[in-house]
Amino acid sequence: MALSLAIGSLSFNSPVSMSAARARSVISMQIEPFQDAAVVAAEAEKADKSGAFCYGLPGSIAPFEEFDPFNFLQGKTFEQVRTWREAELAHCRVGMLAAAGFLVQEKFHPLFSGDGGPAIEQIPKLPVFMWFAITVGIGACETLRIQAGWSNPYEPNHVFQKLKDNYVPGDIGFDPLGLKPDDPAEFAEMQTKELQNGRLAMIAAAGFLAQEAVTGQTWGTYWGLPDF
């Protein structure tokens, strides 16, 4: 994760060779968002006036409805909540990949030969070219996401971490299997499912990290299942 943050920071702040207009055109050709940001903003404003939690955004579900024990949302604008939702979705998706990686990658990794022991101990065993491949891969993904969602830091009156007005948090148009439902209610339900699974995955990944750091063993070995 630290690597992804570092690469994301570099890709966000370093100058690019193409013009801003050309960069926007490249991104627009690659990304077709699923939602209209203006419609989402209007619905959020309407929901806020009606007293809905978190501007009526997906993610509030039993048994922890309206979960905000530290009152982070109190007095926050929709723009600030949008930024937090983008961060939450990014961490949810990384958490799901990380949790799945702990379950699979420690025994199945056809791209390198390091086997056995916690995942963190396998990183030094990677071939050097894999370090560069990982860096480039993370950098490319983060660059695409940042260019799609964040406003240009060189624009006048730019605010740190400001999202584009025409961007919906997490909506980068990625749906290779065509799973997105056409019905808005079903789509909102799927968004909530993604958030719930992502929140659970972040806790799971943290648990894997803590367990392996304390015991020095993979989760399978610790539970008497060394084949896992």
Side-chain angles (χ1 to χ4, degrees), residues 5 8 26-27 52 55 62 70 89 91 103 116 129 142 194 197 219:
L5 291 175
V26 171
I27 293 299
Y55 290 91
F70 298 106
L89 280 168
H91 284 80
L103 293 173
F129 83 90
E142 287 294 275
E194 180 185 25
N197 281 281
W219 66 272

Side-chain angles (χ1 to χ4, degrees), residues 43-85:
E43 292 177 348
E45 182 179 0
K46 182 178 178 181
D48 184 54
K49 290 181 179 178
S50 66
F53 176 73
C54 195
Y55 290 91
L57 295 176
S60 179
I61 189 173
F64 301 109
E65 293 179 285
E66 301 187 8
F67 184 77
D68 184 24
F70 298 106
N71 293 321
F72 286 136
L73 292 172
Q74 185 175 358
K76 296 299 184 295
T77 64
F78 180 60
E79 185 64 31
Q80 179 64 67
V81 173
R82 287 176 69 230
T83 304
W84 288 351
R85 175 50 57 88

